[in-house]
Amino acid sequence: MKDTKIVTKKLSFYYGEKMALNSVSVEMPEKQVTAFIGPSGCGKSTFLRTLNRMNDLIPNVKIEGEVLIDDLNIYDKKVDVVNLRKKIGMVFQKSNPFAKSIFENIAYGPKINGISDKKMLEEIVVTSLQRTAIWDEVKDRMNHSALGLSGGQQQRLCIARTLAVNPEIILMDEPASALDPISTAKIEELIFELKKNFTIVIVTHNMQQAARVSDLTAFFYLGELIEFGKTRKIFTTPDKKQTEDYITGRFG
Amino acid sequence: MNRRRNITGGILVGASAFSAISIIAIIVVILVIVVIGAKDTLSWEFITAFPENGMTEGGIFPAIYGTALMVIIMSVAAVPFGTITALYLTEYASEKSVIAQTIRFAVRTLATVPAIIFGLFGLGFFIKFVGGGMDSFFLGGELKWAQPNILWASLTMSLLTLPVVIVSVEEAIRTVPRELREASLALGATKWQTIKKIVIPGSLSGIMTGTILAISRGAGEVAPILFTGAAYYLATLPTSLSDQFMNLGYHIYIMSTQSADVDGTMSIQYATTLVLLLLTFLLNFVAIIIRARIRRRVKA
Amino acid sequence: MNQHGFTKESLRKKFRLSEYLSQRIITGVAFLSITIIVLIFFFVFKETIPVFQQPDKGSAIDSEELVQEQYGVFAESEEEDDRPEVYGMELDSALMGSRDYGADASTAEDERVTVSDLLGDQWYPVSSNPRYGLIPLFVGTIKITIISILFAAPIAILAALFSAAFAPTWMREWVKPAIELLAGFPSVVIGFFALMVMATVLQELFGYETRLNAFVGGIAMGLAAIPIIFTITEDALTAIPGTYKEASLALGATKWQTALFVTLPAATPGIFAAILLGIGRVFGETMIALMATGNAALISANPFESVRTLAATIGAEMAEVVFGDTHYGVLFLIGSLLFVFTFTLNALAEFYVKGRLMKRIQGKIS
């Protein structure tokens, strides 16, 4: 077993009065893929967004419990959210490249980190694109708008953009839900490749995808963590009846 | 029974169609009459020459120049101010906070305050209070700023056009998708970096629309400058901010009501009106095109 | 790039100056817009106050002296000698101690204004015995407002109904912007058109005596109010949920029955708001009033006689008054009244009517 990277302790989350997460405690290991599954509205995306404090942006929310990364409580008052997010990349459900060139999209993160040396920027951009296996497809049109790429390419570009900031953790919120099967396969391959260097947490409503890419799986239902364990075990011999019902397709 | 019903319906539909058509007809009639009245006088020379012979002959260049100068100064004041306020409303204030609601109410109020009130404010605040203060503080009481001039008129006008800018920019900023802000923040950008690099570039066209609409509004409005800086006739162009200026709308007003020879200068008045109309229409037209482009982008 | 691992040191809260400054500046500027409203209130009212104060000293300035035709005064050299001393007098008075008519107290004994003076029926601000009765101005303003709304509201509401309910989509896309084009007409242009064309045409049609009168001015101001009433009514009509209309149509009602008995009643609060805002527009309109109404302060119910509105009075006379004297103060008083009135109208339209519209659509009041 690898070292533990992310730990949540009795994490609860409220949108105003409404409870979205109820006392969730999980331990996610380093350089592994942890998948969150569950029916929509079960709190899995909310949970993912507590891990890089993206929910801070929503007014009127309340959070209880702790999120520890490398034993540091990221909700501690002394923690700098901006620097925290530099260490935690995020890939969104809908690919969201900026209305800039392909090069500028990738260079955005390094630039805001104060890197202005052109050579260095180019190096980072090229490496990032290579690591997401999209370099060959875009190398001839680095100055074209990123919006001209296909959906699958855009999503891989967004992953490359995340890598350019050199994070340790990558959060993925249903990264392939809007993509065709071929693009989805490419993303999955990529995830497999990336987990050599990064701790990956992925939310998905596609159970086959969870089964294919993840090492650990957490099943959420109505804001509660129902079951958490090795992916193979969850999908073959789950402990809880609800989990079994869900993965066998009886509801959700 | 059925028949009477159909008649009522026919009258209703007919009356409503008639009303809509009448309004459009009025617009067309105004345009046609102005064009006919102006066609003999409007020429390149008319818009580039100074008035002559007690403004009964010659062109209207100083009025065009003064109007242009005024809207430039006005924009310099109103656009940054309006843009920043719009940024606050969209990016910093939470939608339902008391502060945001109060600001919105203030902006809407500002939009409906009669133009003449801005003139009074310009007189009481800019000329008497600020100008008078400047004179007594910097010039030892010598009179320079405590009188109507192009600066005070432009600033007065900028308050009038402020709501136009705020509303346009706000609308444009809202078209920048939340996902892009999140992407930027998730990459470790700060709020200000996100605004500077993602939000503002994404709403540039909206800022432009707001600017153009404000200019078009400011170019046509006369009431606020009646006693804050517009002049009947000036032999020279304004060279300093403390100079008075001639203005197209004011020129129309003055020529049609106070001129020594109202009938003899009729075609000058029509031509001036046409110039002002063309100017405001052109500006509005450009704004509409840009806005349509933004809306299309949002849909895509 | 980053130090490896999530450690207290690497994630210690950082102070970012640009962040701090941008937040402060943006918030500060935003607050200025509230401040401006307050300032406008303050400065317009402030100039009004001296009118009611007991004068303790001061020689009267004979307003007659300063009131000859002074249009274009700023360009005429002969005027430049006495004019400048007048501007900024209030603030300069401390420095120019020798000058007797200092500050706000320059009101002369006989020019002091009481509320009953203001309720007088004569507006002769520039005679040797000035009278500041606001009643004729109010009568004129109300008369012109009634005429213009009676003209504009039916046309604008019917046109909005046409655009929202009857016109096919392709036509609506043309009609709406075309009508809203009218909003782009500067009021000085409408005033000019009224003065030059409408006044003559209407006089020939109706055969009344005075060429410029409340009727001409009212119709012209109606043109300025039409786009406001049209746009807001149209918005209110299109905001009615489609389910309302579908329910009515499904019951066998025709298109016009649905429009008349379902859509229009449901949008009443919005239409009411539109009319209120139209009234606000007309009430404060200056240029059209200056150019097309004749500007005679008469009290009469006859729509074909000249009128002088509150706003036009400010516009016509402010450029000619002495800073700080009674006439000046009374003009600011008129401004304050206009301000309070339009402010109230808008607040009413905003809080009451829009709230009702929303509630009605959501079914909370019948």
Side-chain angles (χ1 to χ4, degrees):
Chain A
M1 191 73 192
K2 304 225 175 179
D3 290 345
T4 302
K5 185 76 176 174
I6 309 170
V7 178
T8 69
K9 287 184 182 166
K10 294 192 171 162
L11 191 74
S12 296
F13 190 85
Y14 305 82
Y15 292 108
E17 296 294 302
K18 195 175 158 276
M19 183 185 259
L21 287 174
N22 185 9
S23 195
V24 175
S25 301
V26 194
E27 292 190 8
M28 288 167 257
E30 194 173 19
K31 291 179 187 170
Q32 297 257 296
V33 178
T34 307
F36 297 167
I37 59 168
S40 53
C42 66
K44 58 192 193 299
S45 282
T46 303
F47 185 59
L48 188 78
R49 293 165 67 93
T50 60
L51 302 182
N52 67 342
R53 294 185 60 176
M54 218 53 185
N55 284 330
D56 288 17
L57 304 173
I58 306 165
N60 244 328
V61 296
K62 199 175 77 185
I63 190 154
E64 284 163 4
E66 286 183 342
V67 178
L68 304 173
I69 302 182
D70 288 345
D71 293 329
L72 177 81
N73 181 6
I74 62 165
Y75 281 90
D76 190 298
K77 278 198 186 84
K78 286 183 198 134
V79 166
D80 190 272
V81 187
V82 170
N83 283 343
L84 176 79
R85 292 196 188 125
K86 281 176 187 161
K87 286 173 174 276
I88 307 173
M90 188 162 200
V91 179
F92 297 80
Q93 181 169 5
K94 203 172 146 245
S95 62
N96 51 1
F98 302 128
K100 299 172 187 282
S101 71
I102 294 171
F103 182 90
E104 286 300 324
N105 259 281
I106 311 292
Y108 182 87
K111 273 188 178 171
I112 56 171
N113 277 322
I115 297 175
S116 54
D117 182 71
K118 208 159 178 278
K119 268 242 170 78
M120 217 164 151
L121 279 177
E122 263 169 33
E123 203 184 302
I124 294 172
V125 170
V126 173
T127 326
S128 307
L129 288 170
Q130 281 168 341
R131 288 171 88 176
T132 49
I134 194 185
W135 169 244
D136 290 331
E137 293 162 55
V138 301
K139 66 181 172 196
D140 298 324
R141 42 174 173 162
M142 294 299 284
N143 291 320
H144 291 220
S145 169
L147 300 176
L149 298 172
S150 73
Q153 287 172 324
Q154 285 191 5
Q155 194 60 298
R156 277 182 288 152
L157 180 86
C158 289
I159 298 174
R161 183 175 66 185
T162 302
L163 299 186
V165 193
N166 204 12
E168 295 171 33
I169 298 168
I170 300 176
L171 309 177
M172 298 186 172
D173 191 355
E174 305 199 21
S177 68
L179 301 180
D180 58 89
I182 295 171
S183 304
T184 303
K186 282 186 181 162
I187 300 274
E188 285 177 11
E189 250 169 64
L190 187 56
I191 293 172
F192 209 75
E193 199 57 36
L194 289 174
K195 79 169 181 180
K196 290 176 189 156
N197 296 300
F198 303 94
T199 307
I200 295 175
V201 185
I202 180 170
V203 165
T204 178
H205 62 249
N206 178 336
M207 278 174 290
Q208 284 72 35
Q209 187 172 63
R212 282 192 299 265
V213 301
S214 70
D215 303 293
L216 292 150
T217 297
F219 172 61
F220 283 82
Y221 185 63
L222 296 178
E224 307 219 18
L225 178 67
I226 305 295
E227 193 168 350
F228 179 56
K230 286 235 160 76
T231 299
R232 186 174 300 163
K233 180 170 185 304
I234 296 275
F235 279 92
T236 50
T237 52
D239 292 336
K240 299 273 170 59
K241 178 141 194 326
Q242 277 165 308
T243 316
E244 193 182 340
D245 286 351
Y246 182 69
I247 58 173
T248 52
R250 237 167 274 169
F251 77 93
Chain B
M1 182 67 199
N2 227 344
R3 183 152 182 188
R4 195 190 296 158
R5 239 197 250 161
N6 283 340
I7 292 172
T8 321
I11 292 174
L12 184 71
V13 176
S16 74
F18 177 75
S19 300
I21 293 164
S22 312
I23 299 172
I24 296 170
I26 293 170
I27 297 171
V28 174
V29 167
I30 296 179
L31 290 175
V32 168
I33 290 181
V34 171
V35 169
I36 291 174
K39 73 175 190 315
D40 293 335
T41 307
L42 190 62
S43 63
W44 180 247
E45 210 210 321
F46 180 72
I47 58 176
T48 53
F50 271 68
E52 278 163 36
N53 214 347
M55 300 210 296
T56 55
E57 289 166 29
I60 51 164
F61 179 69
I64 295 176
Y65 181 86
T67 307
L69 200 59
M70 181 195 74
V71 295
I72 290 170
I73 301 171
M74 174 201 90
S75 310
V76 168
V79 173
F81 198 100
T83 306
I84 292 175
T85 306
L87 274 176
Y88 176 79
L89 288 174
T90 49
E91 304 294 316
Y92 285 90
S94 72
E95 197 67 21
K96 283 180 183 146
S97 71
V98 180
I99 302 158
Q101 301 251 10
T102 314
I103 293 177
R104 273 175 218 285
F105 179 70
V107 170
R108 276 196 299 268
T109 306
L110 213 54
T112 48
V113 169
I116 191 80
I117 305 296
F118 287 95
L120 288 181
F121 175 68
L123 187 62
F125 180 71
F126 289 125
I127 296 178
K128 274 186 79 174
F129 184 74
V130 182
M134 281 163 72
D135 281 353
S136 58
F137 193 78
F138 297 113
L139 303 168
E142 187 196 328
L143 183 86
K144 181 169 185 202
W145 294 105
Q147 52 188 342
N149 64 36
I150 191 164
L151 176 65
W152 302 143
S154 306
L155 291 181
T156 305
M157 199 64 95
S158 71
L159 294 181
L160 182 100
T161 53
L162 193 60
V164 181
V165 180
I166 295 176
V167 171
S168 298
V169 176
E170 221 192 310
E171 182 182 297
I173 291 177
R174 289 191 192 284
T175 66
V176 177
R178 195 177 51 108
E179 288 83 13
L180 292 188
R181 291 183 179 81
E182 288 191 342
S184 171
L185 292 168
L187 288 168
T190 63
K191 190 167 192 160
W192 175 236
Q193 282 170 329
T194 304
I195 291 172
K196 205 168 54 176
K197 299 199 170 187
I198 304 296
V199 177
I200 293 181
S203 37
L204 260 188
S205 48
I207 297 171
M208 260 168 64
T209 329
T211 311
I212 295 168
L213 287 175
I215 290 175
S216 134
R217 175 91 199 273
E221 200 63 71
V222 181
I225 57 168
L226 280 175
F227 36 83
T228 54
Y232 181 52
Y233 173 72
L234 295 170
T236 54
L237 297 175
T239 52
S240 119
L241 288 176
S242 60
D243 285 344
Q244 289 204 300
F245 67 108
M246 288 177 73
N247 173 282
L248 278 173
Y250 189 66
H251 198 66
I252 296 170
Y253 164 60
I254 222 81
M255 292 287 285
S256 60
T257 57
Q258 323 277 330
S259 169
D261 183 7
V262 172
D263 292 330
T265 58
M266 196 75 88
S267 69
I268 293 184
Q269 298 168 30
Y270 274 109
T272 313
T273 305
L274 184 58
V275 169
L276 180 60
L277 263 183
L278 286 179
L279 186 73
T280 47
F281 276 9
L282 193 73
L283 290 166
N284 275 312
F285 189 65
V286 173
I288 287 169
I289 289 176
I290 299 177
R291 191 169 272 184
R293 214 176 263 177
I294 301 173
R295 297 218 168 115
R296 211 175 308 141
R297 191 187 70 195
V298 175
K299 275 183 199 160
Chain C
M1 187 169 16
N2 294 331
Q3 188 188 337
H4 192 77
F6 287 67
T7 56
K8 258 188 189 143
E9 291 67 39
S10 67
L11 291 176
R12 177 158 301 141
K13 195 138 216 161
K14 256 172 87 176
F15 175 77
R16 295 178 173 84
L17 186 66
S18 62
E19 210 61 21
Y20 176 81
L21 284 180
S22 58
Q23 157 119 38
R24 282 301 151 105
I25 291 170
I26 290 174
T27 311
V29 167
F31 271 84
L32 265 177
S33 62
I34 303 179
T35 317
I36 289 169
I37 289 285
V38 177
L39 277 181
I40 293 179
F41 263 117
F42 178 77
F43 275 91
V44 173
F45 288 144
K46 175 176 160 278
E47 301 295 317
T48 306
I49 295 165
V51 171
F52 296 106
Q53 281 174 345
Q54 294 289 326
D56 43 32
K57 62 163 181 177
S59 58
I61 314 153
D62 193 358
S63 10
E64 203 100 57
E65 258 178 37
L66 289 135
V67 173
Q68 322 106 19
E69 269 301 64
Q70 284 196 357
Y71 284 102
V73 69
F74 312 127
E76 286 162 29
S77 57
E78 50 157 72
E79 297 288 349
E80 255 160 31
D81 299 325
D82 57 70
R83 192 71 182 179
E85 291 171 4
V86 174
Y87 282 111
M89 189 173 65
E90 189 183 28
L91 283 146
D92 294 343
S93 60
L95 297 148
M96 311 195 307
S98 60
R99 210 161 288 282
D100 205 21
Y101 48 95
D104 296 330
S106 68
T107 342
E109 195 74 37
D110 59 333
E111 287 193 32
R112 193 173 69 231
V113 170
T114 63
V115 173
S116 69
D117 289 342
L118 294 171
L119 291 175
D121 57 5
Q122 286 181 311
W123 176 258
Y124 290 127
V126 296
S127 73
S128 54
N129 173 25
R131 271 150 292 169
Y132 300 106
L134 299 182
I135 298 300
L137 307 182
F138 266 104
V139 170
T141 309
I142 290 167
K143 202 158 99 179
I144 229 166
T145 307
I146 291 172
I147 293 169
S148 63
I149 295 302
L150 283 181
F151 165 67
I155 290 190
I157 293 168
L158 279 173
L161 194 63
F162 177 72
S163 168
F166 301 135
T169 317
W170 64 267
M171 202 190 274
R172 179 170 186 262
E173 279 173 8
W174 282 99
V175 167
K176 196 167 153 44
I179 292 177
E180 284 170 345
L181 197 65
L182 196 54
F185 276 67
S187 56
V188 69
V189 170
I190 296 179
F192 177 75
F193 180 75
L195 172 66
M196 294 296 165
V197 183
M198 273 169 54
T200 313
V201 173
L202 290 175
Q203 191 179 25
E204 276 170 20
L205 270 178
F206 294 91
Y208 47 75
E209 260 173 54
T210 329
R211 190 169 168 273
L212 298 176
N213 56 43
F215 182 65
V216 176
I219 301 289
M221 283 197 204
L223 292 183
I226 281 175
I228 295 179
I229 302 179
F230 171 82
T231 303
I232 298 171
T233 305
E234 225 261 0
D235 287 351
L237 290 173
T238 43
I240 304 301
T243 48
Y244 275 45
K245 295 171 214 164
E246 282 157 23
S248 165
L249 292 169
L251 289 170
T254 61
K255 212 172 177 184
W256 70 264
Q257 284 170 327
T258 308
L260 189 63
F261 300 119
V262 177
T263 316
L264 211 53
T268 338
I271 298 171
F272 192 49
I275 295 175
L276 283 183
L277 292 173
I279 293 175
R281 174 78 163 83
V282 171
F283 213 78
E285 175 53 49
T286 308
M287 298 317 292
I288 299 175
L290 271 178
M291 295 167 85
T293 60
N295 288 320
L298 306 171
I299 299 182
S300 138
N302 185 349
F304 299 120
E305 277 188 47
S306 289
V307 290
R308 190 182 190 87
T309 71
L310 293 162
T313 304
I314 303 173
E317 296 172 17
M318 186 51 93
E320 310 171 12
V321 297
V322 179
F323 271 30
D325 87 342
T326 308
H327 189 187
Y328 171 92
V330 173
L331 291 181
F332 266 94
L333 173 68
I334 294 174
S336 309
L337 293 173
L338 268 182
F339 196 173
V340 170
F341 189 78
T342 46
F343 187 86
T344 314
L345 270 183
N346 293 322
L348 211 69
E350 175 133 338
F351 287 119
Y352 176 71
V353 185
K354 279 187 189 160
R356 267 186 89 86
L357 180 67
M358 285 319 294
K359 279 187 196 141
R360 180 172 289 191
I361 290 173
Q362 290 156 7
K364 281 177 196 142
I365 17 177
S366 53

